[in-house]
Amino acid sequence: MTKFGRYAFELGGALAAYIVCLVLSLRLLSVGGQGELMRLALTLLPMLPGLAICWVILRGLRRLDELARKIQLEAIGVAFAGTALITFSYGFLENIGLPSLSMFVVWPLMAGLWFVGTIIGQLRYR
């Protein structure tokens, strides 16, 4: 199995576990009748495979060669700075009446900017 194939397999498995835990958590919470501690545990259940996703990504980064790591570092820098600028700007816009956004918006924004940064880095170092 290639490095990318192994990474894709590991990430796919962790994402599948996340989806299963998310659906299970939401269904059990919608039934109700649990105590506060159980509701807390059910709410955070999807974070267990979330930790696995982080672990898989870090392992994938460690397997990269120097140039690929450099590209990823720059892409993460673009994602970090871009997410900060966009979320702070939107936070100020909320002061003039724009609706508040959920924190669930932050990660997809950062992931999208990471993807854009990766493409830019790959084009730059061709």
Side-chain angles (χ1 to χ4, degrees):
M1 185 178 287
T2 66
K3 285 182 184 180
F4 180 75
R6 180 182 192 109
Y7 174 74
F9 178 76
E10 291 173 352
L11 187 59
L15 287 169
Y18 175 81
I19 291 168
V20 168
C21 286
L22 179 61
V23 169
L24 179 65
S25 169
L26 293 173
R27 289 204 177 180
L28 291 173
L29 286 168
S30 70
V31 171
Q34 303 93 0
E36 285 299 312
L37 191 57
M38 181 56 80
R39 289 180 53 79
L40 178 67
L42 287 172
T43 298
L44 293 175
L45 179 65
M47 295 314 300
L48 293 175
L51 289 171
I53 292 169
C54 291
W55 179 71
V56 168
I57 290 171
L58 288 174
R59 277 179 44 132
L61 288 172
R62 288 185 193 119
R63 292 177 182 149
L64 297 175
D65 63 29
E66 291 82 13
L67 178 58
R69 281 186 189 181
K70 182 175 183 167
I71 290 169
Q72 289 303 311
L73 176 62
E74 290 181 13
I76 291 169
V78 166
F80 177 82
T83 300
L85 290 172
I86 292 168
T87 57
F88 272 73
S89 296
Y90 194 86
F92 290 124
L93 292 172
E94 288 177 358
N95 292 332
I96 60 168
L98 268 69
S100 294
L101 291 179
S102 168
M103 291 297 292
F104 284 112
V105 172
V106 175
W107 170 241
L109 173 63
M110 187 176 286
L113 290 173
W114 185 6
F115 178 75
V116 169
T118 299
I119 299 300
I120 291 168
Q122 287 176 343
L123 292 173
R124 180 176 178 199
Y125 292 105
R126 274 189 169 196

